[in-house]
Amino acid sequence: MKENFLNTSIDYLKGVGPNRAEILKKEFKIFTYYDLLIFFPFRYIDRTKFYLINEIQKSNSDVQIIGRFTEIYYHKNIKTNRLIGTFNDGCNSIEVVWFKAAKWIEKSIKLNTDYVLYGKPNWYLNKFSIAHPELDFLKEFNKKQVKGLLPVYSSNERVLSRGITNKFFREVIFNIISSSSLFLKENLSKNINEKYNFISKYQAYKNIHFPLNQELLSKAESRLKYEEFFYMQLEFLMSNISKKSKFKGFNFSKVGDSFNNFYSSHLTFSLTNAQKRVVKEIRKDFSSNAQMNRLLQGDVGSGKTIVALLSSLIAIDNDFQVCFLAPTEILAQQHFNSLNESLSKININVSILTGSSSKKDRINLFSNLIEGKINILVGTHAVLEDNVRFKNLGFVIIDEQHKFGVAQRSKLWKKNINPPHVLVMTATPIPRTLAMSVYGDLDISVIDELPPGRKVVKTFHRTDRNRLEIFKFLKDEIKRGRQIYIVYPLIEESKKLDYKDLMDGYESISREFPNNMYQISILHGRMKSEDKAIEMKRFKDGKTNIMVSTTVIEVGVNIPNASVMVIESSEKFGLSQLHQLRGRVGRGSENSYCILMTSNKLSSDARKRIKTMTSTNDGFKVAEVDMEIRGPGNLLGTQQSGLLNLKIANIITDKEILESAREDVKEIISMDSNLIKIENKLIKEEYNKKTKNTLLWKHIS
Ligand code: ADP
Ligand code: MG
């Protein structure tokens, strides 16, 4: 019975009726009393203040006056038929006007009775008037306590035309709240409520709709936001546990010769503390008997690859094979080259498979793979195909994971009896808050430290007017022995046009940098892959000074001697892409520069992107602005996460609350993973209720 009250269909609600019920369901998905309770206001009007008529200013957007109608009459002329009332506050009068529904209003208005009038003052012909005000009898106004901050609910023409106004919402919601004190049961534990000094659940609902003052409103908001995050994180982390118990993982119990040998004799630099920490985290997962599912976030250039390499050696020491997946052929090739170079000395076999591997190579590779002769297979999407079979795949690394879909990644799971351990790496940092929400069931490692000696990439915004000065600058850099990228946008929809832009650009650069003095590489998606590889190699080996390219070099490419990144038409790029491109330079110890070329006309979003780039090098900050501009809905994976169902909490502006809620959930689960302790009883009940109806979110990787 208790549950039932809030589940009552709105069809039965007084003042609603079948027509309005229909439209509420259709427009706002409001089916039950409870749905009305969680139809939160989107703003509030301060109705603690009352105005005298002679206090009204042109700057007032709305005013509230106590007074009486002294007369009401029609003003007719050829064009209009208005109903006019004279409203008097005891000293002065103001004209009140209705253009529509006048008959009904004329009948309902009582003369010489105290009203609270609320509306927007208009200044016209040297006096104020108010059209279509909201009216409450003073007596009822006091009784109903529709004072303090008044809620404003979202609305549209279709619902307004059925009389579903703010006033309507206020009344029905007020009625439901008044009868729900018994039904809105506490659902957070005593500990949590005490820790944050939360108001009760019932009080929170009451005050989110009808706050008597700002302070109570804030209290209601913080509790409801916390609660929303808390249960979201509880579902994530519980599903994480159930996944861990469901998927047994290979146990990599030892750290053997390959690892030790490489670490002590072939590592050319010492690891940063952050890298050491992450390697430790991975080692711990490897020997935990459960499948690892770890997201490694680290800004561009933070040194994720070496972490992947060291982890791979542990897998190999335990007689398992490794698959290293990269989103582009160029990147796969680069990883292959550098792994091969580092690992051939210790007799580790690295092979590569991409879309352009020849048939002959494939046959060879497939048999070596299944015989276990290959230790690490580097590749693009091609490695996902069913005919790619391993002898004993134990560890999968996915570089730049945002380039892969969930379905693609899940294919790798099936390549052994148990799913391999998975490490996904990203340099397009999803802000940590979002990662926690979207990838709540992944463990997260962060490399939050750049290798020593790195300098920030100095970033400038320039336009066509500055061409000559830029050319001179580029020539100076080349004189110093540095290399330069010049990147043109490649947007799928207008490939032809972009190709032309690239070629035009190449031509003008060739004129400016004549080939008796300078060597220029060119790289774009239409080239054959072996030609791409040749151009890449020429640039990498320092044989060319300038690399003119489309965004094929966007991710991962690592050429430390390149020190300038010029991005043409940079207003056409998204923020994360700009940051990725900038990450191609600043990889050595030289000063590096990123020059953002734009036209003179910029949209406000484009201006914000450019400004963000010139003001910070921190990929996490960039990612947060990116999310602000684009909204979480456009980021990858958010559809699955239920993130868009958040009613009141906002992962950007409320991230501190999200973090606290997550920490609390972790603590509770670590001590009571089945929520059987008496102090977690309320949480368990709410959790069961919530998960009964929702499918658990799919595994992300
Ligand atoms: P990303 O995280 O963007 O994938 P990489 O793994 O490509 O970065 O590393 C960028 C560069 O930094 C590489 O040249 C790599 O050899 C170098 N590097 C990585 N770790 C360190 C370190 N601890 N000290 C010095 N250089 C490092
Ligand atoms: Mg990388």
Side-chain angles (χ1 to χ4, degrees), residues 467 471 486 488 498-513 520 522 546 548-549 568:
R467 287 264 171 222
F471 284 141
I486 302 178
Y488 289 82
D498 289 338
Y499 182 68
K500 187 175 173 304
D501 283 354
L502 173 77
M503 285 312 172
D504 291 351
Y506 178 69
E507 231 167 70
S508 76
I509 288 159
S510 303
R511 251 177 279 130
E512 190 63 38
F513 297 85
I520 305 175
I522 184 162
I546 301 176
V548 177
S549 102
E568 295 289 344

PDB file of all heavy atoms in Angstrom, residues 467 471 486 488 498-513 520 522 546 548-549 568:
ATOM      1  N   ARG A 467      50.910  35.374 -42.174  1.00  0.00           N
ATOM      2  CA  ARG A 467      51.614  34.336 -42.941  1.00  0.00           C
ATOM      3  C   ARG A 467      53.123  34.556 -43.035  1.00  0.00           C
ATOM      4  O   ARG A 467      53.907  33.655 -42.749  1.00  0.00           O
ATOM      5  CB  ARG A 467      51.075  34.240 -44.366  1.00  0.00           C
ATOM      6  CG  ARG A 467      49.737  33.609 -44.460  1.00  0.00           C
ATOM      7  CD  ARG A 467      49.826  32.129 -44.783  1.00  0.00           C
ATOM      8  NE  ARG A 467      48.471  31.616 -44.632  1.00  0.00           N
ATOM      9  CZ  ARG A 467      48.157  30.470 -44.062  1.00  0.00           C
ATOM     10  NH1 ARG A 467      49.100  29.670 -43.645  1.00  0.00           N
ATOM     11  NH2 ARG A 467      46.914  30.111 -43.907  1.00  0.00           N
ATOM     12  N   PHE A 471      56.050  32.080 -41.814  1.00  0.00           N
ATOM     13  CA  PHE A 471      57.024  31.417 -42.697  1.00  0.00           C
ATOM     14  C   PHE A 471      58.452  31.666 -42.208  1.00  0.00           C
ATOM     15  O   PHE A 471      59.281  30.773 -42.180  1.00  0.00           O
ATOM     16  CB  PHE A 471      56.869  31.907 -44.139  1.00  0.00           C
ATOM     17  CG  PHE A 471      55.672  31.304 -44.837  1.00  0.00           C
ATOM     18  CD1 PHE A 471      54.887  32.055 -45.699  1.00  0.00           C
ATOM     19  CD2 PHE A 471      55.336  29.975 -44.631  1.00  0.00           C
ATOM     20  CE1 PHE A 471      53.782  31.501 -46.337  1.00  0.00           C
ATOM     21  CE2 PHE A 471      54.233  29.405 -45.264  1.00  0.00           C
ATOM     22  CZ  PHE A 471      53.452  30.168 -46.120  1.00  0.00           C
ATOM     23  N   ILE A 486      52.487  20.587 -40.784  1.00  0.00           N
ATOM     24  CA  ILE A 486      51.413  21.511 -41.176  1.00  0.00           C
ATOM     25  C   ILE A 486      50.193  20.646 -41.504  1.00  0.00           C
ATOM     26  O   ILE A 486      50.244  19.808 -42.407  1.00  0.00           O
ATOM     27  CB  ILE A 486      51.813  22.356 -42.392  1.00  0.00           C
ATOM     28  CG1 ILE A 486      53.095  23.148 -42.060  1.00  0.00           C
ATOM     29  CG2 ILE A 486      50.681  23.315 -42.786  1.00  0.00           C
ATOM     30  CD1 ILE A 486      53.623  23.988 -43.204  1.00  0.00           C
ATOM     31  N   TYR A 488      46.096  19.970 -42.336  1.00  0.00           N
ATOM     32  CA  TYR A 488      44.844  20.475 -42.899  1.00  0.00           C
ATOM     33  C   TYR A 488      43.697  19.600 -42.433  1.00  0.00           C
ATOM     34  O   TYR A 488      43.881  18.400 -42.223  1.00  0.00           O
ATOM     35  CB  TYR A 488      44.924  20.448 -44.430  1.00  0.00           C
ATOM     36  CG  TYR A 488      45.868  21.491 -44.957  1.00  0.00           C
ATOM     37  CD1 TYR A 488      47.238  21.263 -44.994  1.00  0.00           C
ATOM     38  CD2 TYR A 488      45.382  22.731 -45.374  1.00  0.00           C
ATOM     39  CE1 TYR A 488      48.112  22.235 -45.438  1.00  0.00           C
ATOM     40  CE2 TYR A 488      46.254  23.708 -45.822  1.00  0.00           C
ATOM     41  CZ  TYR A 488      47.624  23.452 -45.854  1.00  0.00           C
ATOM     42  OH  TYR A 488      48.479  24.418 -46.285  1.00  0.00           O
ATOM     43  N   ASP A 498      38.434  19.050 -48.966  1.00  0.00           N
ATOM     44  CA  ASP A 498      39.587  19.055 -48.075  1.00  0.00           C
ATOM     45  C   ASP A 498      40.852  18.626 -48.804  1.00  0.00           C
ATOM     46  O   ASP A 498      41.929  19.147 -48.571  1.00  0.00           O
ATOM     47  CB  ASP A 498      39.348  18.106 -46.901  1.00  0.00           C
ATOM     48  CG  ASP A 498      38.299  18.662 -45.968  1.00  0.00           C
ATOM     49  OD1 ASP A 498      38.101  19.881 -45.991  1.00  0.00           O
ATOM     50  OD2 ASP A 498      37.690  17.872 -45.241  1.00  0.00           O
ATOM     51  N   TYR A 499      40.663  17.657 -49.693  1.00  0.00           N
ATOM     52  CA  TYR A 499      41.802  17.179 -50.448  1.00  0.00           C
ATOM     53  C   TYR A 499      42.370  18.329 -51.274  1.00  0.00           C
ATOM     54  O   TYR A 499      43.577  18.539 -51.347  1.00  0.00           O
ATOM     55  CB  TYR A 499      41.358  16.021 -51.338  1.00  0.00           C
ATOM     56  CG  TYR A 499      42.473  15.415 -52.144  1.00  0.00           C
ATOM     57  CD1 TYR A 499      43.488  14.713 -51.513  1.00  0.00           C
ATOM     58  CD2 TYR A 499      42.505  15.556 -53.521  1.00  0.00           C
ATOM     59  CE1 TYR A 499      44.516  14.164 -52.241  1.00  0.00           C
ATOM     60  CE2 TYR A 499      43.530  15.011 -54.260  1.00  0.00           C
ATOM     61  CZ  TYR A 499      44.538  14.310 -53.626  1.00  0.00           C
ATOM     62  OH  TYR A 499      45.556  13.773 -54.351  1.00  0.00           O
ATOM     63  N   LYS A 500      41.454  19.113 -51.839  1.00  0.00           N
ATOM     64  CA  LYS A 500      41.886  20.262 -52.622  1.00  0.00           C
ATOM     65  C   LYS A 500      42.616  21.265 -51.722  1.00  0.00           C
ATOM     66  O   LYS A 500      43.690  21.763 -52.080  1.00  0.00           O
ATOM     67  CB  LYS A 500      40.664  20.922 -53.263  1.00  0.00           C
ATOM     68  CG  LYS A 500      41.034  22.034 -54.229  1.00  0.00           C
ATOM     69  CD  LYS A 500      39.810  22.589 -54.937  1.00  0.00           C
ATOM     70  CE  LYS A 500      40.163  23.802 -55.769  1.00  0.00           C
ATOM     71  NZ  LYS A 500      40.806  24.881 -55.013  1.00  0.00           N
ATOM     72  N   ASP A 501      42.052  21.525 -50.550  1.00  0.00           N
ATOM     73  CA  ASP A 501      42.725  22.434 -49.605  1.00  0.00           C
ATOM     74  C   ASP A 501      44.144  21.972 -49.319  1.00  0.00           C
ATOM     75  O   ASP A 501      45.084  22.747 -49.310  1.00  0.00           O
ATOM     76  CB  ASP A 501      41.981  22.457 -48.259  1.00  0.00           C
ATOM     77  CG  ASP A 501      40.730  23.304 -48.328  1.00  0.00           C
ATOM     78  OD1 ASP A 501      40.525  23.954 -49.378  1.00  0.00           O
ATOM     79  OD2 ASP A 501      39.973  23.301 -47.349  1.00  0.00           O
ATOM     80  N   LEU A 502      44.253  20.664 -49.101  1.00  0.00           N
ATOM     81  CA  LEU A 502      45.551  20.107 -48.763  1.00  0.00           C
ATOM     82  C   LEU A 502      46.537  20.312 -49.926  1.00  0.00           C
ATOM     83  O   LEU A 502      47.670  20.744 -49.739  1.00  0.00           O
ATOM     84  CB  LEU A 502      45.403  18.607 -48.469  1.00  0.00           C
ATOM     85  CG  LEU A 502      46.705  17.853 -48.251  1.00  0.00           C
ATOM     86  CD1 LEU A 502      47.253  18.134 -46.862  1.00  0.00           C
ATOM     87  CD2 LEU A 502      46.490  16.348 -48.425  1.00  0.00           C
ATOM     88  N   MET A 503      46.053  20.024 -51.149  1.00  0.00           N
ATOM     89  CA  MET A 503      46.935  20.136 -52.309  1.00  0.00           C
ATOM     90  C   MET A 503      47.321  21.597 -52.582  1.00  0.00           C
ATOM     91  O   MET A 503      48.470  21.902 -52.884  1.00  0.00           O
ATOM     92  CB  MET A 503      46.264  19.514 -53.534  1.00  0.00           C
ATOM     93  CG  MET A 503      46.278  17.995 -53.465  1.00  0.00           C
ATOM     94  SD  MET A 503      47.948  17.426 -53.043  1.00  0.00           S
ATOM     95  CE  MET A 503      47.722  15.711 -52.789  1.00  0.00           C
ATOM     96  N   ASP A 504      46.332  22.491 -52.452  1.00  0.00           N
ATOM     97  CA  ASP A 504      46.635  23.915 -52.613  1.00  0.00           C
ATOM     98  C   ASP A 504      47.678  24.358 -51.595  1.00  0.00           C
ATOM     99  O   ASP A 504      48.627  25.068 -51.902  1.00  0.00           O
ATOM    100  CB  ASP A 504      45.372  24.776 -52.429  1.00  0.00           C
ATOM    101  CG  ASP A 504      44.400  24.585 -53.573  1.00  0.00           C
ATOM    102  OD1 ASP A 504      44.788  23.928 -54.569  1.00  0.00           O
ATOM    103  OD2 ASP A 504      43.252  25.069 -53.472  1.00  0.00           O
ATOM    104  N   GLY A 505      47.468  23.897 -50.374  1.00  0.00           N
ATOM    105  CA  GLY A 505      48.393  24.252 -49.305  1.00  0.00           C
ATOM    106  C   GLY A 505      49.790  23.728 -49.597  1.00  0.00           C
ATOM    107  O   GLY A 505      50.783  24.444 -49.471  1.00  0.00           O
ATOM    108  N   TYR A 506      49.834  22.497 -50.060  1.00  0.00           N
ATOM    109  CA  TYR A 506      51.117  21.860 -50.362  1.00  0.00           C
ATOM    110  C   TYR A 506      51.862  22.667 -51.425  1.00  0.00           C
ATOM    111  O   TYR A 506      53.062  22.923 -51.319  1.00  0.00           O
ATOM    112  CB  TYR A 506      50.869  20.438 -50.850  1.00  0.00           C
ATOM    113  CG  TYR A 506      52.122  19.699 -51.244  1.00  0.00           C
ATOM    114  CD1 TYR A 506      53.037  19.319 -50.279  1.00  0.00           C
ATOM    115  CD2 TYR A 506      52.373  19.384 -52.578  1.00  0.00           C
ATOM    116  CE1 TYR A 506      54.192  18.642 -50.630  1.00  0.00           C
ATOM    117  CE2 TYR A 506      53.524  18.705 -52.943  1.00  0.00           C
ATOM    118  CZ  TYR A 506      54.433  18.336 -51.964  1.00  0.00           C
ATOM    119  OH  TYR A 506      55.570  17.666 -52.315  1.00  0.00           O
ATOM    120  N   GLU A 507      51.079  23.106 -52.430  1.00  0.00           N
ATOM    121  CA  GLU A 507      51.686  23.866 -53.508  1.00  0.00           C
ATOM    122  C   GLU A 507      52.281  25.180 -52.994  1.00  0.00           C
ATOM    123  O   GLU A 507      53.425  25.526 -53.298  1.00  0.00           O
ATOM    124  CB  GLU A 507      50.634  24.182 -54.562  1.00  0.00           C
ATOM    125  CG  GLU A 507      51.072  23.795 -55.955  1.00  0.00           C
ATOM    126  CD  GLU A 507      49.886  23.841 -56.897  1.00  0.00           C
ATOM    127  OE1 GLU A 507      49.422  24.965 -57.179  1.00  0.00           O
ATOM    128  OE2 GLU A 507      49.410  22.756 -57.296  1.00  0.00           O
ATOM    129  N   SER A 508      51.496  25.888 -52.196  1.00  0.00           N
ATOM    130  CA  SER A 508      52.000  27.193 -51.767  1.00  0.00           C
ATOM    131  C   SER A 508      53.181  27.023 -50.804  1.00  0.00           C
ATOM    132  O   SER A 508      54.118  27.820 -50.805  1.00  0.00           O
ATOM    133  CB  SER A 508      50.884  28.046 -51.152  1.00  0.00           C
ATOM    134  OG  SER A 508      50.598  27.602 -49.867  1.00  0.00           O
ATOM    135  N   ILE A 509      53.149  25.941 -50.035  1.00  0.00           N
ATOM    136  CA  ILE A 509      54.291  25.709 -49.150  1.00  0.00           C
ATOM    137  C   ILE A 509      55.536  25.330 -49.962  1.00  0.00           C
ATOM    138  O   ILE A 509      56.645  25.774 -49.677  1.00  0.00           O
ATOM    139  CB  ILE A 509      53.941  24.625 -48.111  1.00  0.00           C
ATOM    140  CG1 ILE A 509      52.954  25.229 -47.107  1.00  0.00           C
ATOM    141  CG2 ILE A 509      55.180  24.149 -47.363  1.00  0.00           C
ATOM    142  CD1 ILE A 509      52.162  24.225 -46.354  1.00  0.00           C
ATOM    143  N   SER A 510      55.313  24.552 -51.042  1.00  0.00           N
ATOM    144  CA  SER A 510      56.445  24.183 -51.900  1.00  0.00           C
ATOM    145  C   SER A 510      57.072  25.432 -52.527  1.00  0.00           C
ATOM    146  O   SER A 510      58.279  25.491 -52.742  1.00  0.00           O
ATOM    147  CB  SER A 510      55.992  23.255 -53.023  1.00  0.00           C
ATOM    148  OG  SER A 510      55.375  22.131 -52.476  1.00  0.00           O
ATOM    149  N   ARG A 511      56.228  26.405 -52.855  1.00  0.00           N
ATOM    150  CA  ARG A 511      56.757  27.646 -53.422  1.00  0.00           C
ATOM    151  C   ARG A 511      57.588  28.400 -52.384  1.00  0.00           C
ATOM    152  O   ARG A 511      58.654  28.918 -52.654  1.00  0.00           O
ATOM    153  CB  ARG A 511      55.604  28.539 -53.901  1.00  0.00           C
ATOM    154  CG  ARG A 511      55.519  28.619 -55.427  1.00  0.00           C
ATOM    155  CD  ARG A 511      54.330  29.448 -55.854  1.00  0.00           C
ATOM    156  NE  ARG A 511      53.092  28.677 -55.820  1.00  0.00           N
ATOM    157  CZ  ARG A 511      51.956  29.069 -55.236  1.00  0.00           C
ATOM    158  NH1 ARG A 511      51.886  30.227 -54.616  1.00  0.00           N
ATOM    159  NH2 ARG A 511      50.892  28.298 -55.268  1.00  0.00           N
ATOM    160  N   GLU A 512      57.059  28.426 -51.171  1.00  0.00           N
ATOM    161  CA  GLU A 512      57.735  29.176 -50.117  1.00  0.00           C
ATOM    162  C   GLU A 512      59.016  28.459 -49.654  1.00  0.00           C
ATOM    163  O   GLU A 512      59.989  29.105 -49.254  1.00  0.00           O
ATOM    164  CB  GLU A 512      56.756  29.350 -48.944  1.00  0.00           C
ATOM    165  CG  GLU A 512      57.200  30.289 -47.866  1.00  0.00           C
ATOM    166  CD  GLU A 512      57.370  31.725 -48.367  1.00  0.00           C
ATOM    167  OE1 GLU A 512      56.556  32.175 -49.198  1.00  0.00           O
ATOM    168  OE2 GLU A 512      58.337  32.382 -47.914  1.00  0.00           O
ATOM    169  N   PHE A 513      58.955  27.139 -49.688  1.00  0.00           N
ATOM    170  CA  PHE A 513      60.120  26.360 -49.246  1.00  0.00           C
ATOM    171  C   PHE A 513      60.645  25.543 -50.433  1.00  0.00           C
ATOM    172  O   PHE A 513      60.359  24.344 -50.543  1.00  0.00           O
ATOM    173  CB  PHE A 513      59.719  25.429 -48.092  1.00  0.00           C
ATOM    174  CG  PHE A 513      59.260  26.141 -46.854  1.00  0.00           C
ATOM    175  CD1 PHE A 513      57.930  26.553 -46.706  1.00  0.00           C
ATOM    176  CD2 PHE A 513      60.160  26.413 -45.826  1.00  0.00           C
ATOM    177  CE1 PHE A 513      57.505  27.209 -45.562  1.00  0.00           C
ATOM    178  CE2 PHE A 513      59.733  27.069 -44.670  1.00  0.00           C
ATOM    179  CZ  PHE A 513      58.400  27.478 -44.546  1.00  0.00           C
ATOM    180  N   ILE A 520      60.043  18.348 -48.373  1.00  0.00           N
ATOM    181  CA  ILE A 520      58.684  18.317 -47.817  1.00  0.00           C
ATOM    182  C   ILE A 520      58.064  16.938 -48.019  1.00  0.00           C
ATOM    183  O   ILE A 520      58.129  16.372 -49.104  1.00  0.00           O
ATOM    184  CB  ILE A 520      57.794  19.362 -48.522  1.00  0.00           C
ATOM    185  CG1 ILE A 520      58.460  20.743 -48.421  1.00  0.00           C
ATOM    186  CG2 ILE A 520      56.409  19.397 -47.891  1.00  0.00           C
ATOM    187  CD1 ILE A 520      57.728  21.813 -49.194  1.00  0.00           C
ATOM    188  N   ILE A 522      54.487  14.609 -47.790  1.00  0.00           N
ATOM    189  CA  ILE A 522      53.040  14.800 -47.772  1.00  0.00           C
ATOM    190  C   ILE A 522      52.379  13.480 -47.403  1.00  0.00           C
ATOM    191  O   ILE A 522      52.859  12.406 -47.765  1.00  0.00           O
ATOM    192  CB  ILE A 522      52.513  15.356 -49.113  1.00  0.00           C
ATOM    193  CG1 ILE A 522      51.011  15.633 -49.004  1.00  0.00           C
ATOM    194  CG2 ILE A 522      52.818  14.417 -50.269  1.00  0.00           C
ATOM    195  CD1 ILE A 522      50.493  16.558 -50.078  1.00  0.00           C
ATOM    196  N   ILE A 546      59.548  19.279 -43.485  1.00  0.00           N
ATOM    197  CA  ILE A 546      58.156  19.631 -43.231  1.00  0.00           C
ATOM    198  C   ILE A 546      57.270  18.454 -43.602  1.00  0.00           C
ATOM    199  O   ILE A 546      57.493  17.804 -44.617  1.00  0.00           O
ATOM    200  CB  ILE A 546      57.738  20.850 -44.083  1.00  0.00           C
ATOM    201  CG1 ILE A 546      58.634  22.055 -43.754  1.00  0.00           C
ATOM    202  CG2 ILE A 546      56.271  21.206 -43.837  1.00  0.00           C
ATOM    203  CD1 ILE A 546      58.356  23.276 -44.623  1.00  0.00           C
ATOM    204  N   VAL A 548      53.501  17.884 -44.509  1.00  0.00           N
ATOM    205  CA  VAL A 548      52.182  18.456 -44.791  1.00  0.00           C
ATOM    206  C   VAL A 548      51.200  17.300 -44.783  1.00  0.00           C
ATOM    207  O   VAL A 548      51.405  16.319 -45.492  1.00  0.00           O
ATOM    208  CB  VAL A 548      52.169  19.125 -46.184  1.00  0.00           C
ATOM    209  CG1 VAL A 548      50.781  19.661 -46.503  1.00  0.00           C
ATOM    210  CG2 VAL A 548      53.193  20.240 -46.230  1.00  0.00           C
ATOM    211  N   SER A 549      50.149  17.405 -43.978  1.00  0.00           N
ATOM    212  CA  SER A 549      49.292  16.225 -43.898  1.00  0.00           C
ATOM    213  C   SER A 549      47.866  16.567 -43.483  1.00  0.00           C
ATOM    214  O   SER A 549      47.577  17.676 -43.063  1.00  0.00           O
ATOM    215  CB  SER A 549      49.902  15.220 -42.910  1.00  0.00           C
ATOM    216  OG  SER A 549      49.236  15.256 -41.687  1.00  0.00           O
ATOM    217  N   GLU A 568      46.070  24.363 -39.916  1.00  0.00           N
ATOM    218  CA  GLU A 568      45.311  25.250 -40.802  1.00  0.00           C
ATOM    219  C   GLU A 568      43.816  25.099 -40.545  1.00  0.00           C
ATOM    220  O   GLU A 568      43.362  24.017 -40.186  1.00  0.00           O
ATOM    221  CB  GLU A 568      45.618  24.897 -42.269  1.00  0.00           C
ATOM    222  CG  GLU A 568      47.057  25.153 -42.688  1.00  0.00           C
ATOM    223  CD  GLU A 568      47.387  26.645 -42.798  1.00  0.00           C
ATOM    224  OE1 GLU A 568      46.449  27.473 -42.856  1.00  0.00           O
ATOM    225  OE2 GLU A 568      48.598  26.974 -42.825  1.00  0.00           O
TER     226      GLU A 568
END
